[in-house]
Amino acid sequence: MRKPIIAGNWKLHKTVNESRHLIQTLAENLKDVTDAEIVVAPVFTALESAVAAAKGSPIAIAAQNCYPASSGAFTGEVSPTLLKDIGCTGAIVGHSERRQLFGESNAFINAKVQALLAAGLRAIFCIGETLEERESGRMYDILTGQVKEGLAGLTPEDMDKVVVAYEPVWAIGTGKTASDEEAEEAHAFIRGLLQGIFNENVADKTPILYGGSVKPGNVDGLMAQEDIDGVLVGGASLVAEDFIRIARFQRSETVQQ
Ligand code: PGA
């Protein structure tokens, strides 16, 4: 049974103080949640105090990016080793904003995944098609390329530290969520890819999150899908009340403890 993961991607929002306050509110309101993992990804400057604020709570702190080297002449970059040093448990990599705005390739994202694993951290590895790719019938080819190239060189054991996040680009920040069925179809396809590349055990164990306009009003339907193991939330993760409700999505009988 895959444990649900509810992750918040704060993107470029919130000062150190604002981040600390939001984490304190989440920690207070989610302290009894033991049947789901809660992950929050603030900006780099707020990470260290976020780790301190989350201490003793069920909230893990992840970064939104990293550079694939542990140290060296890479002006302006932050390595997985340094993230680990301040108590982060992982990082988001391959987000569509980084692919689109910063030109990140599957190969570069693969290097980041490998660097995170080498540091003992978890990679929240994002993939997803654009509207144009979906409408021109290339969605499955795009997802296949992103998964094969993004996870190239990984062993089945490495996959213990990988969470896949399917985020259709057309649903991110647009208020347009994929329907429960569209999301489930993509997730089942991705799970099939993992089976082909690795094995059935990896396909069974790897959490696949859905992201793209997840809100309190649509989380229950998404989480009820067989292959949706959690959500990666942008906008709604900045509002305490919304993120708390998302983390308290309606459990089906089989996940209730
Ligand atoms: P959104 O963002 O929930 O605001 O659509 C999701 C994401 O980009 O991870």
Side-chain angles (χ1 to χ4, degrees):
M1 176 65 70
R2 298 177 293 269
K3 191 171 184 177
I5 300 175
I6 308 298
N9 172 11
W10 289 2
K11 306 192 182 182
L12 184 42
H13 293 287
K14 297 200 183 285
T15 63
V16 172
N17 268 333
E18 289 164 351
S19 301
R20 187 171 39 234
H21 284 137
L22 181 49
I23 302 232
Q24 282 163 348
T25 306
L26 297 177
E28 184 53 34
N29 285 278
L30 296 173
K31 58 179 180 233
D32 59 314
V33 175
T34 52
D35 60 352
E37 286 185 52
I38 318 277
V39 183
V40 167
V43 296
F44 279 127
T45 51
L47 287 175
E48 192 170 4
S49 73
V51 169
K55 206 164 182 215
S57 83
I59 303 170
I61 305 296
Q64 297 172 20
N65 186 27
C66 66
Y67 188 77
S70 56
S71 63
F74 304 107
T75 304
E77 295 296 329
V78 176
S79 67
T81 326
L82 296 185
L83 295 175
K84 188 170 190 191
D85 183 48
I86 58 163
C88 289
T89 56
I92 297 170
V93 289
H95 191 280
S96 66
E97 284 150 19
R98 297 218 56 91
R99 292 177 188 264
Q100 294 195 324
L101 302 173
F102 304 100
E104 294 194 6
S105 66
N106 287 330
F108 190 50
I109 294 160
N110 176 248
K112 294 184 183 200
V113 172
Q114 303 228 22
L116 283 163
L117 302 185
L121 295 184
R122 176 145 90 174
I124 302 177
F125 165 66
C126 304
I127 56 171
E129 82 287 356
T130 63
L131 189 58
E132 195 269 312
E133 288 160 350
R134 175 176 274 256
E135 289 181 342
S136 62
R138 290 184 297 135
M139 164 181 163
Y140 291 116
D141 286 348
I142 294 291
L143 294 179
T144 303
Q146 289 175 337
V147 171
K148 282 200 169 150
E149 293 169 40
L151 300 179
L154 270 63
T155 64
E157 293 70 40
D158 288 335
M159 288 300 291
D160 286 346
K161 287 278 200 185
V162 176
V163 173
V164 178
Y166 168 64
E167 300 201 299
V169 180
W170 47 273
I172 294 180
T174 58
K176 244 199 264 171
T177 331
S179 68
D180 298 345
E181 295 72 28
E182 281 170 330
E184 170 59 21
E185 196 185 329
H187 281 233
F189 175 76
I190 294 161
R191 206 173 295 290
L193 287 176
L194 297 178
Q195 171 156 4
I197 298 167
F198 299 100
N199 56 44
E200 198 174 335
N201 187 34
V202 168
D204 279 348
K205 281 200 315 202
T206 305
I208 307 179
L209 316 185
Y210 169 80
S213 298
V214 175
K215 308 278 178 227
N218 58 26
V219 67
D220 296 338
L222 290 162
M223 288 302 292
Q225 305 304 310
E226 187 174 339
D227 290 293
I228 299 185
D229 307 313
V231 284
L232 180 54
V233 189
S237 71
L238 297 166
V239 181
E241 197 188 348
D242 288 358
F243 192 66
I244 290 164
R245 170 61 184 86
I246 290 169
R248 294 191 176 283
F249 68 91
Q250 198 181 335
R251 271 63 167 167
S252 67
E253 268 155 44
T254 45
V255 250
Q256 242 160 28
Q257 291 181 347

